[in-house]
Amino acid sequence: MSNSLIDVAVVGTIGYAVGLPSVAALGLPRAGLDWDPTGYGASTWLLLAVGGVWYSLVFAVPLVLLGVVFALPT
């Protein structure tokens, strides 16, 4: 079970930290949803990076730690 938790945390972190900013910056404007009128400057990318770090700290890190604890021999 611990390996499954670690796998979910890693895939979720990569998907969220890389996939969501890519979709937001590349996909949404092509779909007609331009949510950044400043032209996707440095502040936009900083906001997306901070969101990815926040996700990692709140969700992925605790899942990995929980997986490591479950993997310890009892």
Side-chain angles (χ1 to χ4, degrees):
M1 175 152 169
S2 62
N3 289 339
S4 298
L5 286 174
I6 292 173
D7 291 343
V8 167
V10 169
V11 170
T13 299
I14 292 171
Y16 188 84
V18 175
L20 190 61
S22 300
V23 168
L26 302 174
L28 290 177
R30 291 186 180 156
L33 300 169
D34 192 9
W35 55 273
D36 185 13
T38 63
Y40 302 95
S43 63
T44 301
W45 290 107
L46 179 64
L47 180 64
L48 290 171
V50 168
V53 169
W54 171 83
Y55 172 80
S56 296
L57 292 175
V58 172
F59 294 107
V61 170
L63 275 176
V64 168
L65 291 176
L66 190 61
V68 168
V69 167
F70 283 153
L72 294 174
T74 57

